[in-house]
Amino acid sequence: MDNPAQLGGELLCAIVGALQRCTPPCVVVNFDTATTLLAVDSTGALVGGSILPGPQCSLSALVRNTAQLPQVELEARPRRLLGANTADCLHSGIVYGTAAMLDGMVAQIRAALGAPDAPVVATGTLPDSVRTACATDIVYRETLVLEGLYWIWKKNTRK
């Protein structure tokens, strides 16, 4: 990292939490307003990452900035890939489009790490519908940030 001080504390905690669950190299993903993908090398060091709009943010931007696009619920899996009405098309596009983006980004990060089977550990507000639409196996831990914070606290209180 050019400037490690710029790394958000929650992302550091997510990485520490992920390293308690898997052997590096790995990909750590945090879903919220933004989707952050972090590459951790075989030594457990953060080598870099990518930040993209989260699915809820993308959906909100589309609904707010275009005419006649309805708000849709992302938790449920779309009825089909190719929608037959505007709401179904939007729902499918956000869910399957986000899943395809994740699959593609993870494949590229794994290639950059030289680790085609690197595990993917995720946390945050990623809808289950997107996780199940991914071809990539994603280990989802709702409490990953808290788990990492616990391990940091535990290490620092042993002194």
Side-chain angles (χ1 to χ4, degrees), residues 16-132:
V16 171
L19 290 173
Q20 302 308 310
R21 304 215 152 267
C22 67
T23 302
C26 62
V27 180
V28 180
V29 186
N30 188 28
F31 293 92
D32 208 5
T33 303
T35 298
T36 307
L37 295 100
L38 303 166
V40 178
D41 70 12
S42 61
T43 69
L46 173 62
V47 295
S50 298
I51 302 172
L52 327 133
Q56 290 288 2
C57 184
S58 296
L59 175 61
S60 294
L62 281 172
V63 169
R64 183 178 59 250
N65 295 313
T66 58
Q68 300 181 354
L69 288 182
Q71 184 69 38
V72 296
E73 177 57 48
L74 296 183
E75 276 304 320
R77 188 168 183 133
R79 291 189 286 181
R80 55 184 167 246
L81 175 66
L82 301 174
N85 59 62
T86 302
D88 285 352
C89 291
L90 183 58
H91 187 197
S92 175
I94 294 290
V95 170
Y96 290 114
T98 300
M101 178 274 304
L102 284 172
D103 289 336
M105 289 295 293
V106 167
Q108 291 183 56
I109 292 169
R110 284 172 167 168
L113 289 170
D117 297 321
V120 178
V121 182
T123 193
T125 59
L126 177 65
D128 185 54
S129 61
V130 174
R131 287 195 310 268
T132 59

Side-chain angles (χ1 to χ4, degrees), residues 122-153:
T123 193
T125 59
L126 177 65
D128 185 54
S129 61
V130 174
R131 287 195 310 268
T132 59
C134 287
T136 304
D137 184 32
I138 298 173
V139 176
Y140 180 75
R141 297 289 302 172
E142 184 176 354
T143 59
L144 188 66
V145 172
L146 291 175
E147 292 168 22
L149 183 60
Y150 168 77
W151 283 103
I152 292 169
W153 171 81

